[in-house]
Amino acid sequence: MQFGIFSVSDVTPDPTTGRTPTEGERIRAMVRIALKAEEVGLDVFATGEHHNPPFVASSPTTMLGYVAARTEKLILSTSTTLITTNDPVKIAEDFAMLQHLAEGRVDLMMGRGNTGPVYPWFGQDIRQGIPLALENYNLLHRLWREDVVDWEGKFRTPLQGFTSTPRPLDGVPPFVWHGSIRSPEIAEQAAYYGDGFFHNNIFWPATHTKKLISLYRRRFEHYGHGKADQAIVGLGGQVFMRKNSQDAVREFRPYFDNAPVYGGGPSLEEFTRETPLTVGSPQEVIDRTLGFRESFGDYQRQLFLMDHAGLPLKTVLEQLDLLGEEVVPVLRREFAAKKPAHVPDAPTHTSLLAERERATTNTEAQ
Amino acid sequence: MTRKLVTVTAGLSNPSSTRLLADRLTAAAEEALADRGEKAEVRVVELRELAHDIMNAMTTRVPTGELPGVLEDVAGADGIIAVTPVFNASYSGLFKSFFDVVESGVLDGKPVLVAATGGSPRHSLVLEHALRPMFSYTRSVVVPTGVYAASEDWGVGEGGGRELSERIARAARQLALLATESAPAAADPYEEPTPFADLMSGLGT
């Protein structure tokens, strides 16, 4: 089981001080947070991609490349890479380059983006979101697996005899997750390819999230990639912790009440009851997270949202200490003890390479 | 067979004339279903009680309180009776907000009886310029007879409320007819997804 954090890269005023970090401060804070993730023993750092204020993460591979140079073990990922508005050719190139620089410590998560105005800035139309995600990913998938591609589709100019360079490291494309919070088409897509499926698990009650994950698992089996319980599932989650539950609630409340995404909506109490948000002690976070397994089955990746809503860097780093010292070690132990042997771990470059070599040896043996 | 009716009423006071009209329409619909040999299972939803939950769903999409259950019942209903007071020459904001948080597609093909109350008969066309277009947009099957009740319709004026009663009965009969004919709900896309090959149809591969 992999544990990590995902950032949306928002520049939000700290409601307790009124101070807004500069873009430069926020970018450096994200890097500091990524490095801290490795220090405290987490497995994954994922950055979002946005092309409008108040977000800074418009260029994920630049940031991840920098983080790659300063880390040893951390897997660098995205949450999400916009498969709708980016040219799939550029995604193929950028992430293959990153994969080489990071020596395989790279995977990525496809997402559509739900901000209507962004699409036309990149020559697209949000009403074509699903077809764009389907066609573009299909092309990306081919670009990483076929050395020379002839291709013609609906949304981009045709390719004749095109080779995307660099070729993926060791000829093994980065593992891909598909993120969606409500689209059965995307669960179907992830299942078809045998890729991972990620639900951000933030705003939705478990009953909804479960429908989408069950669909993905069922179709993963249908397309012959393994049993439903062997499908590769990732979940988000958001937590705020202090040793004492009451301290966590008191400290987090102003951030919750003023955050652009929650403010004016449900109360903190309603939100923690109806969604996976946990504000409390490390033990409460452990219990809630173990509960995800009860709801959705054995899964492979758990990412937490930690640096958002204007929380100061110092606080986020303290949260990461708690996560790394008190929460994740227990979760690793508990999840490992509960996971049946036939349920795989999340694929990594190493495991995919080994798998391919096994397949090649088998073919040669025949 | 038992038909499920959900009555949605957006009156704010207690008692409200909107609720009164909603109750009379509901009773008339039960009677009309009984005349057709059908039973009715009724849920009356006071939107006032859901006001905060509706705003929660609108601002963050997080369904709180009773709202998820109500939305489920709306999705499963054979017919809907939707009653609003007239505010500023249209349906009330609360009424509109509730239907704004109903998932798109849920009302497709669903029979809806539209009704409104107002202080003056001069607003009676609210049914035609506000409610009917909204439910047409959601692809509901709007009952031909809408019911508008102004103050005088409650029995003070000429006719002693008889015309309103007749209109209620006629609208209820039409709703009962549509509710018994209502098509089975569309396939749940989470249960029966469109296969990948169909999704890719017309796209580059």
Side-chain angles (χ1 to χ4, degrees):
Chain A
M1 178 109 172
Q2 296 171 336
F3 295 91
I5 51 173
F6 65 133
S7 176
V8 289
S9 83
D10 58 315
V11 180
T12 304
D14 181 337
T16 64
T17 61
R19 191 177 177 282
T20 308
T22 65
E23 288 180 324
E25 285 168 341
R26 184 68 174 101
I27 290 165
R28 285 191 298 278
M30 281 180 72
V31 169
R32 182 72 193 87
I33 287 162
L35 302 183
K36 181 80 174 177
E38 174 159 293
E39 281 166 40
V40 301
L42 300 182
D43 308 300
V44 184
F45 171 78
T47 173
E49 176 185 336
H50 294 276
H51 298 275
N52 50 314
F55 305 99
V56 292
S58 58
S59 183
T61 53
T62 312
M63 172 171 281
L64 294 179
Y66 182 85
V67 175
R70 301 185 57 185
T71 50
E72 300 286 330
K73 291 192 283 195
L74 194 63
I75 294 170
L76 308 160
S77 188
T78 57
S79 56
T80 60
T81 292
L82 301 176
I83 186 63
T84 47
T85 47
N86 283 305
D87 182 355
V89 169
K90 199 71 178 86
I91 296 177
E93 295 172 343
D94 284 346
F95 281 87
M97 174 63 85
L98 178 64
Q99 191 197 22
H100 279 272
L101 292 171
E103 295 175 338
R105 289 184 286 127
V106 173
D107 58 42
L108 64 163
M109 193 199 304
M110 298 296 154
R112 297 204 304 282
N114 61 1
T115 313
V118 174
Y119 284 71
W121 297 335
F122 295 90
Q124 304 297 354
D125 180 340
I126 194 170
R127 290 168 298 181
Q128 296 295 319
I130 295 272
L132 277 163
L134 293 166
E135 180 175 292
N136 286 348
Y137 181 65
N138 195 268
L139 174 55
L140 174 62
H141 195 264
R142 286 190 59 195
L143 291 169
W144 276 341
R145 286 165 179 81
E146 298 170 37
D147 287 342
V148 183
V149 171
D150 291 332
W151 179 91
E152 193 174 341
K154 197 173 167 189
F155 297 110
R156 102 180 279 297
T157 49
L159 298 168
Q160 296 296 333
F162 178 75
T163 298
S164 169
T165 62
R167 303 304 299 145
L169 176 66
D170 305 320
V172 176
F175 185 70
V176 170
W177 301 80
H178 299 264
S180 179
I181 52 174
R182 52 180 296 165
S183 304
E185 297 91 338
I186 299 302
E188 172 75 8
Q189 180 192 29
Y192 173 81
Y193 291 100
D195 293 342
F197 181 75
F198 185 91
H199 195 286
N200 86 359
N201 196 27
I202 283 184
F203 287 107
W204 295 82
T207 46
H208 169 88
T209 307
K210 196 176 169 176
K211 275 204 253 182
L212 210 49
I213 291 175
S214 307
L215 165 61
Y216 161 67
R217 288 187 183 282
R218 231 169 34 240
R219 300 297 285 177
F220 182 92
E221 182 168 320
H222 169 84
Y223 286 112
H225 302 295
K227 292 275 174 211
D229 65 359
Q230 295 174 312
I232 308 297
V233 173
L235 292 172
Q238 51 181 344
V239 298
F240 188 86
M241 293 170 280
R242 288 297 179 199
K243 298 260 177 207
N244 295 316
S245 205
Q246 295 85 344
D247 292 341
V249 172
R250 192 178 314 115
E251 186 177 344
F252 189 61
R253 190 183 299 281
Y255 295 94
F256 178 89
D257 286 348
N258 290 286
V261 289
Y262 324 112
S267 66
L268 179 58
E269 284 71 16
E270 284 173 309
F271 207 95
T272 46
R273 194 169 57 238
E274 305 287 349
T275 80
L277 170 67
T278 309
V279 182
S281 65
Q283 188 57 48
E284 286 175 84
V285 172
I286 289 167
D287 293 344
R288 197 82 187 271
T289 310
L290 288 172
F292 295 166
R293 184 186 160 277
E294 306 295 320
S295 303
F296 311 120
D298 287 289
Y299 63 108
Q300 282 74 13
R301 175 175 284 186
Q302 173 66 55
L303 299 183
F304 294 101
L305 177 63
M306 305 226 103
D307 65 324
H308 62 130
L311 287 164
L313 176 60
K314 180 172 169 290
T315 307
V316 175
L317 297 177
E318 287 164 6
Q319 292 294 305
L320 284 167
D321 278 327
L322 286 168
L323 194 64
E325 285 163 19
E326 302 199 19
V327 174
V328 166
V330 180
L331 288 178
R332 280 196 203 284
R333 208 163 53 233
E334 296 280 328
F335 276 115
K338 288 178 166 131
K339 192 183 80 152
H342 69 282
V343 173
D345 288 326
T348 60
H349 184 75
T350 313
S351 76
L352 291 170
L353 185 60
E355 196 177 297
R356 200 203 47 194
E357 277 166 3
R358 256 198 319 277
T360 319
T361 318
N362 288 345
T363 315
E364 280 165 3
Q366 277 161 15
Chain B
M1 195 175 159
T2 302
R3 302 290 173 175
K4 291 179 185 165
L5 296 179
V6 174
T7 299
V8 175
T9 168
L12 295 181
S13 56
N14 187 11
S16 79
S17 56
T18 304
R19 175 62 193 258
L20 196 58
L21 180 58
D23 285 344
R24 288 190 59 187
L25 287 164
T26 307
E30 285 179 276
E31 207 169 297
L33 279 170
D35 289 346
R36 303 180 67 82
E38 308 261 355
K39 282 202 188 81
E41 185 188 315
V42 176
R43 175 167 193 177
V44 180
V45 178
E46 282 275 6
L47 293 186
R48 189 187 202 286
E49 294 164 8
L50 295 173
H52 286 270
D53 298 311
I54 291 167
M55 283 305 128
N56 286 345
M58 185 164 288
T59 49
T60 62
R61 285 190 157 167
V62 175
T64 52
E66 297 293 314
L67 184 61
V70 169
L71 293 174
E72 216 166 277
D73 284 352
V74 165
D78 296 300
I80 292 178
I81 299 171
V83 198
T84 179
V86 175
F87 284 3
N88 287 343
S90 188
Y91 34 59
S92 75
L94 181 59
F95 181 85
K96 176 66 160 53
S97 296
F98 173 73
F99 286 103
D100 285 351
V101 300
V102 173
E103 288 275 334
S104 75
V106 161
L107 297 176
D108 194 339
K110 216 170 271 302
V112 177
L113 193 172
V114 293
T117 59
S120 146
R122 284 184 289 275
H123 284 299
S124 61
L125 284 173
V126 72
L127 297 174
E128 311 306 322
H129 70 71
L131 279 87
R132 207 176 286 275
M134 185 181 92
F135 287 108
S136 297
Y137 173 80
T138 60
R139 301 186 191 144
S140 310
V141 179
V142 188
V143 171
T145 302
V147 180
Y148 179 85
S151 301
E152 53 258 59
D153 292 310
W154 297 105
V156 185
E158 216 174 304
R162 200 180 62 239
E163 280 176 24
L164 177 63
S165 302
E166 284 169 4
R167 204 166 173 79
I168 287 170
R170 187 161 70 247
R173 278 198 304 276
Q174 292 168 354
L175 177 69
L177 173 65
L178 292 167
T180 47
E181 302 275 305
S182 78
D188 179 348
Y190 294 99
E191 289 300 325
E192 292 169 48
T194 309
F196 185 76
D198 295 349
L199 292 174
M200 288 301 289
S201 142
L203 300 176
T205 52

